Amino acid sequence: MKLYDKNAVAKFLDMTPKNVERLTQKGILQTKQGNLYALAETNRAYIKYLRDRNPESQETVDLNEERAKLTKTKRLNEELDLAVKKGELHKSEDIEKVMTAMLINFKSRLSAIPAEEADKLAAMTDKAKIFLYLNDKIKEALNELSDFEGMFKEEIKEDEEGND
């Protein structure tokens, strides 16, 4: 059996001689006579060390457990698809479209109040009546935001008609 020094082992295992020393000190690699190594034995010991460090390697994967995870994931995916079809769950892009449309409408509605109501407000002199009048107009605009479900159905219906 031919024996090799740490430099030859390092080159064979694609590492530095210092790493060979460190692995030897840890007891992972074994020396023979003096500080020489049996290459085949050292190679097997290093491979075993790498396998032990990686518990997710293919040798340790439980196929039954992996099949169970896959089955569970497929079931969850089917349940989510069914919930979307039943209208119990909505896609995030649909929610984003509806919320964007609602907020744009809300902003437009609030921005239009001064222009639409300026003449009427100019004729008013009682601050309390002006406050109540503007408060009513703002509440009307806010009511649109409270009807998310109605707006959602309307927006989705428009999208479906546009996609045909």
Side-chain angles (χ1 to χ4, degrees):
M1 166 186 348
K2 189 170 180 182
L3 299 176
Y4 297 86
D5 69 355
K6 68 179 177 186
N7 293 324
V9 171
K11 191 172 186 176
F12 182 77
L13 295 177
D14 193 27
M15 66 174 63
T16 65
K18 207 145 195 64
N19 280 341
V20 173
E21 286 177 12
R22 185 178 50 81
L23 292 172
T24 303
Q25 288 170 355
K26 287 183 171 182
I28 296 163
L29 303 180
Q30 304 293 319
T31 58
K32 297 291 181 187
Q33 300 167 354
N35 283 332
L36 299 177
Y37 300 86
L39 203 55
E41 195 176 299
T42 302
N43 188 35
R44 279 192 295 278
Y46 185 61
I47 290 171
K48 181 182 181 320
Y49 165 73
L50 291 176
R51 281 187 184 143
D52 291 345
R53 278 185 47 194
N54 184 8
E56 291 296 317
S57 68
Q58 289 300 319
E59 288 82 18
T60 61
V61 172
D62 181 0
L63 292 178
N64 288 330
E65 184 179 329
E66 292 299 314
R67 282 189 192 108
K69 287 178 184 177
L70 179 62
T71 302
K72 181 179 180 181
T73 302
K74 285 181 178 179
R75 189 192 84 231
L76 288 172
N77 190 38
E78 291 298 319
E79 288 174 1
L80 290 174
D81 285 345
L82 181 60
V84 168
K85 288 176 184 173
K86 286 181 172 182
E88 297 169 351
L89 187 67
H90 303 293
K91 295 179 181 173
S92 60
E93 54 267 13
D94 292 340
I95 300 289
E96 186 177 346
K97 283 180 194 175
V98 173
M99 290 303 298
T100 300
M102 286 180 73
L103 291 173
I104 288 171
N105 289 344
F106 180 66
K107 180 184 176 196
S108 298
R109 184 96 184 241
L110 284 180
S111 297
I113 290 174
E116 291 174 355
E117 307 302 329
D119 291 338
K120 183 154 186 153
L121 290 171
M124 293 179 152
T125 56
D126 185 4
K127 288 183 182 180
K129 285 184 181 179
I130 293 171
F131 172 80
L132 290 172
Y133 184 76
L134 286 176
N135 199 30
D136 286 343
K137 293 297 177 183
I138 292 170
K139 283 183 180 178
E140 285 177 22
L142 286 169
N143 275 337
E144 284 184 24
L145 288 180
S146 67
D147 186 24
F148 175 79
E149 200 61 40
M151 184 70 163
F152 185 82
K153 287 177 184 173
E154 187 177 308
E155 192 72 24
I156 296 304
K157 186 177 177 183
E158 287 176 12
D159 275 356
E160 289 173 355
E161 289 171 359
N163 290 338
D164 290 340

